Amino acid sequence: MRNPSDAGQVVLPGMPRRLLRASPTSLSDFSDCPRRYRFANVDRPLPPRGPRFAHHSVGTALHQVLAQWYDLPVERRTAGAARQLLYAAWSPVGFRDDEQSDRWRARAAGWLTDYVAELDPTVEPRARERTVSTTTERMTLSGRVDRIDERGEELVVVDYKTGRMPSTDDEARGSQALALYVLAVRRTLRRPCSRVELHHLPSGTVAGFDHTEKSLANHARRAEDVAIDIQAATEAVTAGQDPDEAFPVVPGRQCGWCDFRPACPAGQAAEPAREPWSFLAEEDDLPA
Ligand code: SF4
């Protein structure tokens, strides 16, 4: 294990603390399971990862298509063009067989057709797949936003969702990642931004929330608390503590889909191995 350059430092009195480099994903990893954070951010070389899941292939292709669709000239931004892009972007990795992959590609093409039909192709987003960053007392935080819309003077953070269940306004309100993106969009693009939206492609629904300064401050404070815990764990290792104790495992259902399961005996014991296609919502599971 190595110590990352942004933590594990010796802090002398009066010496400014080096900021932790973090992302919404790394903070969420640590909150869910400190060992997963360590695998992804501290250990080098990276521990072996498990096989790619089919539902990740679906999500990756759809995100890619929706970013590329806006690269097309306005007159070519059609549902047909979106489907063509999907065919080029599609990966069969993780599916049981060609039949399942083809069936899901057709299903994803249907979602795209419906979603794109609701978009005005002449309206340019402010950004797509844009990395934004900000600095807090404890960390430099960066992450990539799926889409940033312009609505009047305001910018809106848009996140595409491709899971089985439609998103809810409560989910939009409670998402630490989206709140941190708002702060990072403000800082990076120097424009007002308060609204976050979850666009659920399978159902064509949009969930949203308009953040207040208070709700953003609450999210930022909780993120800072996680950063403090990460720095404490990293410094403990530097001071000689067993890394397995400083970054304990938190076994649970998430071990079934954790990327680092092959490197984690506790995770293997907690949950049986799942087939790479087992997290796809088949017809019977999808909401009406
Ligand atoms: S398999 Fe489970 S316990 Fe192990 S790192 Fe992943 S989430 Fe943590």
Side-chain angles (χ1 to χ4, degrees), residues 30 65 101 113 205 251 269 278:
F30 189 88
V65 168
S101 171
T113 299
T205 55
S278 59

Side-chain angles (χ1 to χ4, degrees), residues 33 35-36 39 249-251 254-255 258 260-261 264 266-267:
C33 176
R35 184 68 54 82
R36 184 160 72 200
F39 283 149
V249 291
V250 180
Q254 73 270 15
C255 301
C258 176
F260 296 105
R261 181 188 161 81
C264 182

Side-chain angles (χ1 to χ4, degrees), residues 30-49:
F30 189 88
S31 297
D32 291 346
C33 176
R35 184 68 54 82
R36 184 160 72 200
Y37 172 90
R38 193 190 101 189
F39 283 149
N41 297 280
V42 182
D43 288 3
R44 295 293 181 272
L46 270 176
R49 294 184 180 233

Side-chain angles (χ1 to χ4, degrees), residues 204-221:
T205 55
V206 173
F209 183 69
D210 294 293
H211 274 291
T212 62
E213 297 312 308
K214 187 176 175 195
S215 64
L216 290 170
N218 286 339
H219 277 293
R221 193 184 60 248

